Amino acid sequence: MIPLVAVAHGSRDPRSAASIHGLLDVVRSLRPELDVRGCFLDLCAPRLSDVLRGPAVVVPLLLGKAYHARVDVPAAVAESRVPAVVTDVLGPDPRLESAALRRLSEAGVSFGDRSLGVVLAGAGSSHAPANEAVARVARRWARESGWAGVEAAFASIASPTVPEAVEKLRMKGATRIAVASWFLAPGLLPDKVASLAGDAVVAQPLGDDVEVAQLVLDRYDFAVARQTVAA
């Protein structure tokens, strides 16, 4: 069985690697017979080159198709000179939304609260389509949640910022604010979001959610099936 190599961005914050390894433990629990290897593009070990030693399916643990997905992962795989297939990133997918909403629920947020405004906070990218993917989720939640409003916000590069999104929600009548996380793991940017959120309720990153783990396996299975058909 071809190995699954899951590659995350990486962070100097040890909580980030711990969260990624926790997610991969869930993946292994769902598919015990599969060789699942975790690694990182930068800032912590192991690196992709350390675990990519032969044919494999590389699953980028990235929520959107920004620079790391479009450039860094393919370049790192090409540099390894092994016959690896790179899958699509995890997003967009309804299961990511479900995971983010579960984290909000765990933080005490419920649907239908007309006094509540929700910020959906992501990393931000110079690649506009990656930001728009997050904004689409926010617009869908705004239509379906019964909250006072939902606004996308970004921790870096893109706008609006978290304070700007909060101000928009206040203008829509929100008297309380919650922040949903569009981050896979803790780290510098999620901490920045929390620091800018004031007295808002801040949900945890998606982390070891079982639906995220199932999504990782789905990306793997789709790539394997395509390889089988091609063969």
Side-chain angles (χ1 to χ4, degrees):
M1 184 178 294
I2 189 166
L4 187 164
V5 174
V7 56
H9 177 269
S11 170
R12 292 186 180 88
D13 188 329
R15 296 174 301 161
S16 178
S19 182
I20 294 300
H21 289 308
L23 171 62
L24 296 181
D25 284 343
V26 178
V27 173
R28 294 182 185 100
S29 73
L30 295 173
R31 195 77 60 85
E33 73 280 7
L34 180 61
D35 179 3
V36 178
R37 307 171 189 172
C39 60
F40 303 90
L41 285 172
D42 200 5
L43 301 177
C44 56
R47 300 291 182 85
L48 184 59
S49 58
D50 297 326
V51 302
L52 191 57
R53 300 182 294 271
V57 171
V58 176
V59 181
L61 299 182
L62 302 169
L63 302 187
K65 205 162 191 175
Y67 187 86
H68 297 303
R70 292 182 294 110
V71 178
D72 290 342
V73 173
V77 171
E79 187 177 324
S80 72
R81 300 182 182 276
V82 301
V85 175
V86 181
T87 76
D88 202 354
V89 296
L90 301 183
D93 191 279
R95 286 166 289 189
L96 295 180
E97 297 182 46
S98 294
L101 289 170
R102 266 191 295 281
R103 295 298 186 227
L104 266 181
S105 177
E106 290 166 3
V109 173
S110 58
F111 280 101
D113 184 346
R114 295 300 303 173
S115 68
L116 183 72
V118 173
V119 177
L120 178 60
S125 171
S126 59
H127 187 58
N131 301 325
E132 173 57 22
V134 182
R136 279 198 301 271
V137 174
R139 290 194 294 269
R140 182 159 50 250
W141 287 10
R143 292 193 301 270
E144 300 173 358
S145 64
W147 295 321
V150 182
E151 295 288 338
F154 303 97
S156 66
I157 303 175
S159 60
T161 65
V162 171
E164 288 168 344
V166 170
E167 180 60 25
K168 287 182 181 179
L169 292 168
R170 297 286 190 199
M171 291 176 65
K172 291 179 179 180
T175 57
R176 298 184 302 114
I177 303 295
V179 179
S181 180
W182 203 249
F183 294 97
L184 192 60
L188 178 65
L189 293 183
D191 283 354
K192 180 180 178 182
V193 166
S195 72
L196 293 171
D199 60 356
V201 172
V202 180
Q204 293 297 308
L206 309 186
D208 59 355
D209 185 90
V210 67
E211 280 198 290
V212 178
Q214 290 167 342
L215 177 54
V216 172
L217 287 170
D218 280 357
R219 294 288 186 261
Y220 168 86
D221 289 339
F222 183 74
V224 170
R226 288 187 64 182
Q227 289 297 102
T228 301
V229 170

